[in-house]
Amino acid sequence: MIQALFFYLFAAVTIASAVMVISSRNPVHSVLFLILAFVNAAGLFMLAGAEFLALLLIVVYVGAVAVLFLFVVMMLDVDFVELRQGFMQYLPIGVLVGLIFLAELLMVAGAWVFAPEATATATAPIPDPAQVSNTLALGQLLYTRYVYFFQVAGFVLLVAMIGAITLTLRHRAYVRRQNISVQVARTRATAIEVKHVEPGRGL
Amino acid sequence: MTAFPDFALAGPELLLAAGALLLLLIGAYGSEKRSSLVSGLSVLLLLVAAVAVVIGRDGSTFGGAFVVDGFARFLKVLVLIGSAVAVVMTQRFAVAEKFFHFELPVLIVLATIGMLLMISAGDLIAVYLGLELQSLALYVVASFHRDDGRSTEAGLKYFVLGALSSGMLLYGASLIYGFTGHVDFAGIAAAAAAGGSTSLGLTFGIVFVATGIAFKVSAVPFHMWTPDVYEGAPTPVTAFFAAAPKIAAMALFVRVVMEALGPVKAEWQQIVAFMSLASMILGAFAAIGQRNIKRLMAYSSIGHMGYALVGLAAGSEAGIYGILIYLATYLAMTAGAFAVILSMRRDGAMTEDIESLAGLSRTNPTVAYLLGIIMFSLAGIPPFAGFFGKYFVFAAAINAGLYWLAVIGILSSVVGAYYYLRIVKIMFLDEPKGAFEPMGGEMKAVLGISGLFVAAFALVLGPLGDAALAAARTLF
């Protein structure tokens, strides 16, 4: 009962905030609604018993991606109002595409057959969720059987990072950089100068 | 719990990975002066890894995703030599053109790890990850000279098209997985063999995977990026692109079609035969009108990959043997040719015009004779190395009954001989246009060794052929 209540709560808020993401005029509000949608979707995952996905959604999407969006929206001078001009004239074709997708989804879901032998041929059988939490189950698989792929994927990300830095980092001579040891090594003698000012004269 | 996987089999790769991380630290924390040290250490690391590959043992680990066999070992040594030569040739040039950073050799080492993983791939996930590790590093290396518009353009083009081809490969891999239920090559082969007639889904999967890999091999009709990227990328990077990644991609192609799709040979043989045919013809005709030597080398490499694919189309042990010999000779010829191209400097600037080689036989006869030998070899004229590679693949094609492929291959190599011999004519018969700056010591060494190897290939064919034969046999 209480589960159903929460399901409808999360689902309703997710859909409502998703609508707000595309309809609100202020882009900052859009991103905030996006975060709300993510958090509620995480709630839905939690109800479905996928606690790892729920936490991942919060950590990765809310923690990193949404904040990144927010930075982009606030730092780039994009005129979203102008961008959205004539947005409504695309509504009929948008609705049409949406309906086609819906029909396709229904057809796929209607014809869905789960091959009975598929569970038997799986390389790692799905453990009983009552016994093992899915974080543990994923970890056991990822760091044993798939350790090779995991490490190589790590290297791919490392290459991406090195590439981004080499292709964009420029050392500009005129940028003043923070040098903590110099800052700490400052003494009163080097930092302030005492001027004797005679009364009534000024400097 | 699964047993702890055998990491020792992946020793050379682990060595390179740890070494790359260490070099990154040395480069990041060392002064600018130390960046040449990073280059030197990278070469050393690649050569040590090659030794580790030679003395390593056979086997498969990580649930069959990583395979070490004779085939993998032979090609890994070629790739490591190719990368080491590329790093050697990069250093001085990049410093002179003021785009050297310590990341350049490190990225080459990381790309090499990707290539080794591709060669050793035993399942589709490993194929994709190895390919991405290699490609991602190559995209960055292509646009490494970031103040040069052409270099960044080359990098961007390569990246966009490469991402598209990765997508195709992934789509094909997902179809193959969906229709066979396996990602490991042995499982796919068993499922494909059990099916009797091939399912349409599997055929589609094969087409998409072949497309994705053909892009990396730059086989026609997925070659469009090659001339632009080769011309735009910094020349030492082009030298790198033309050798090691081609060998790795070809190895991957051979392994995927022979090991995973061996039972459905009829499905892929016609695809490979068509790509081989188209590459040979385009490589021969499109290079004729080129004035820029880097573009010429790009079309030449498209053509050479076409010849190597003839061996794969044959799909026999002799065909794979031919590919291995072909790739070994191709590596030597490419390295030698690029050692000369990189030394085409006059008045402190690089020239890429073929005409600027005019009269090289009088200004620098040694280089002219060595380049002449390499050009004769690229054209496939006996007794030089290039002839043997072509001979073995064509012989395999004839034995496999692909007469038309062999005949058209021989005809297109006659057409291709025109532009190789034109370079010889320009060097020996045209009036000199002034000498080039003196060659660097490392360029002399690369040119000398590869020229000697190409000229005296008949002598080394014995031991090299034995190794290649043993390597080809492991796939059957």
Side-chain angles (χ1 to χ4, degrees):
Chain A
M1 176 59 206
I2 190 116
Q3 271 207 333
L5 195 71
F6 269 101
F7 171 78
Y8 286 113
L9 177 71
F10 286 142
V13 177
T14 308
I15 293 172
S17 47
V19 170
M20 287 306 288
V21 171
I22 53 168
S23 62
S24 79
R25 289 199 165 277
N26 188 333
V28 178
H29 290 177
S30 284
V31 177
L32 291 175
F33 276 113
L34 189 68
I35 295 176
L36 186 62
F38 281 148
V39 173
N40 280 283
L44 287 173
F45 273 130
M46 200 67 107
L47 284 180
E51 76 276 357
F52 182 73
L53 272 184
L55 295 175
L56 204 66
L57 198 66
I58 299 226
V59 172
V60 176
Y61 281 85
V62 178
V65 177
V67 173
L68 199 68
F69 277 171
L70 205 55
F71 266 112
V72 171
V73 165
M74 284 162 65
M75 292 174 77
L76 295 186
D77 185 24
V78 182
D79 193 345
F80 284 91
V81 179
E82 195 187 331
L83 209 66
R84 205 168 289 158
Q85 218 99 70
F87 179 68
M88 290 308 281
Q89 77 188 32
Y90 298 117
L91 188 67
I93 195 137
V95 169
L96 185 70
V97 171
L99 282 177
I100 292 172
F101 271 135
L102 183 68
E104 282 180 347
L105 265 178
L106 287 177
M107 277 152 73
V108 169
W112 180 267
V113 186
F114 194 80
E117 70 274 12
T119 36
T121 56
T123 43
I126 302 160
D128 182 13
Q131 311 260 318
V132 186
S133 74
N134 45 60
T135 315
L136 186 68
L138 275 172
Q140 277 177 347
L141 202 58
L142 200 58
Y143 297 115
T144 55
R145 189 184 160 80
Y146 294 121
V147 64
Y148 167 50
F149 304 141
F150 184 73
Q151 292 297 332
V152 179
F155 261 93
V156 173
L157 293 178
L158 176 72
V159 169
M161 197 174 83
I162 298 173
I165 292 173
T166 24
L167 293 183
T168 56
L169 181 68
R170 280 166 203 278
H171 290 288
R172 294 186 180 86
Y174 53 85
V175 174
R176 294 171 70 105
R177 292 177 174 279
Q178 190 178 26
N179 189 337
I180 293 172
S181 56
V182 170
Q183 287 175 326
V184 172
R186 260 157 73 107
T187 60
R188 198 180 66 176
T190 60
I192 43 176
E193 188 184 350
V194 181
K195 296 253 185 192
H196 290 285
V197 183
E198 285 183 37
R201 289 273 181 90
L203 265 174
Chain B
M1 289 298 289
T2 37
F4 199 67
D6 184 4
F7 279 85
L9 271 178
E13 286 78 7
L14 288 174
L15 182 77
L16 280 182
L21 296 179
L22 194 69
L23 288 176
L24 204 56
L25 286 181
I26 294 176
Y29 285 99
S31 64
E32 278 289 310
K33 283 178 197 143
R34 263 204 239 153
S35 41
S36 62
L37 176 73
V38 176
S39 276
L41 287 176
S42 310
V43 175
L44 189 68
L45 188 67
L46 290 164
L47 295 179
V48 171
V51 174
V53 167
V54 173
I55 59 174
R57 62 196 161 81
D58 286 358
S60 90
T61 180
F62 301 118
F66 187 88
V67 183
V68 182
D69 52 17
F71 177 76
R73 260 205 256 121
F74 186 90
L75 286 164
K76 276 182 184 178
V77 171
L78 288 188
V79 162
L80 286 165
I81 292 173
S83 297
V85 169
V87 177
V88 167
M89 294 201 295
T90 302
Q91 168 69 24
R92 191 192 300 248
F93 184 93
V95 170
E97 297 282 319
K98 296 189 181 60
F99 67 91
F100 189 81
H101 295 285
F102 72 90
E103 286 97 340
L104 187 54
V106 174
L107 281 169
I108 292 180
V109 171
L110 285 167
T112 310
I113 301 174
M115 292 174 211
L116 300 190
L117 298 181
M118 280 159 71
I119 295 172
S120 271
D123 79 14
L124 291 172
I125 307 175
V127 167
Y128 178 69
L129 284 172
L131 201 66
E132 274 311 281
L133 183 57
Q134 180 233 29
S135 310
L136 205 56
L138 293 187
Y139 304 146
V140 180
V141 173
S143 49
F144 207 83
H145 195 181
R146 61 185 188 186
D147 297 325
D148 179 26
R150 288 198 308 164
S151 173
T152 35
E153 183 197 334
L156 192 64
K157 260 185 194 163
Y158 193 22
F159 174 69
V160 172
L161 292 172
L164 184 72
S165 80
S166 288
M168 297 241 184
L169 181 86
L170 267 184
Y171 185 53
S174 75
L175 279 174
I176 290 181
Y177 173 56
F179 280 88
T180 60
H182 293 274
V183 286
D184 58 309
F185 290 170
I188 293 170
S197 65
T198 318
S199 70
L200 195 61
L202 182 61
T203 310
F204 266 88
I206 293 170
V207 170
F208 278 103
V209 168
T211 305
I213 302 177
F215 177 88
K216 303 291 174 194
V217 189
S218 75
V220 178
F222 309 104
H223 65 284
M224 278 82 159
W225 59 276
T226 321
D228 289 352
V229 171
Y230 277 33
E231 189 190 357
T235 315
V237 172
T238 311
F240 175 52
F241 278 14
K246 288 284 171 71
I247 295 174
M250 191 56 91
L252 183 69
F253 209 168
V254 171
R255 201 183 271 284
V256 168
V257 298
M258 297 308 294
E259 290 207 333
L261 308 170
V264 287
K265 190 174 164 190
E267 303 294 326
W268 55 260
Q269 194 176 24
Q270 45 186 324
I271 303 176
V272 174
F274 169 74
M275 288 198 294
S276 148
L277 191 70
S279 306
M280 289 188 297
I281 294 174
L282 186 116
F285 282 97
I288 290 175
Q290 300 305 324
R291 294 277 165 274
N292 181 307
I293 194 149
K294 282 161 82 180
R295 281 186 90 83
L296 180 95
M297 288 306 288
Y299 283 109
S300 155
S301 98
I302 292 172
H304 281 290
M305 287 301 123
Y307 295 119
L309 283 175
V310 171
L312 185 58
S316 58
E317 193 181 305
I320 307 301
Y321 171 74
I323 293 181
L324 293 174
I325 296 288
Y326 204 101
L327 290 178
T329 59
Y330 173 74
L331 173 66
M333 296 184 294
T334 313
F338 270 100
V340 177
I341 296 173
L342 281 164
S343 309
M344 288 166 58
R345 299 177 67 83
R346 197 171 274 158
D347 308 327
M350 166 97 198
T351 63
E352 296 175 359
D353 193 11
I354 295 174
E355 297 295 331
S356 67
L357 281 168
L360 192 66
S361 64
R362 265 170 278 176
T363 52
N364 195 341
T366 322
V367 173
Y369 278 105
L370 285 171
L371 186 60
I373 288 173
I374 289 170
M375 286 299 152
F376 274 112
S377 169
L378 282 167
I381 292 167
F384 302 119
F387 165 73
F388 292 94
K390 284 200 174 71
Y391 170 74
F392 288 124
V393 291
F394 289 145
I398 288 169
N399 283 334
L402 298 168
Y403 300 107
W404 52 277
L405 192 61
V407 168
I408 294 178
I410 291 165
L411 289 179
S412 64
S413 76
V414 171
V415 175
Y418 164 72
Y419 58 81
Y420 295 124
L421 298 184
R422 191 172 138 250
I423 294 180
V424 177
K425 176 234 157 201
I426 290 172
M427 285 194 301
F428 283 86
L429 300 178
D430 286 8
E431 281 305 308
K433 285 191 177 173
F436 290 126
E437 289 172 15
M439 266 179 126
E442 75 278 14
M443 298 297 177
K444 277 184 190 156
V446 170
L447 178 63
I449 293 171
S450 59
L452 216 60
F453 177 84
V454 167
F457 187 74
L459 301 179
V460 291
L461 182 62
L464 190 76
D466 290 344
L469 198 61
R473 207 163 277 156
T474 55
L475 284 185
F476 289 89

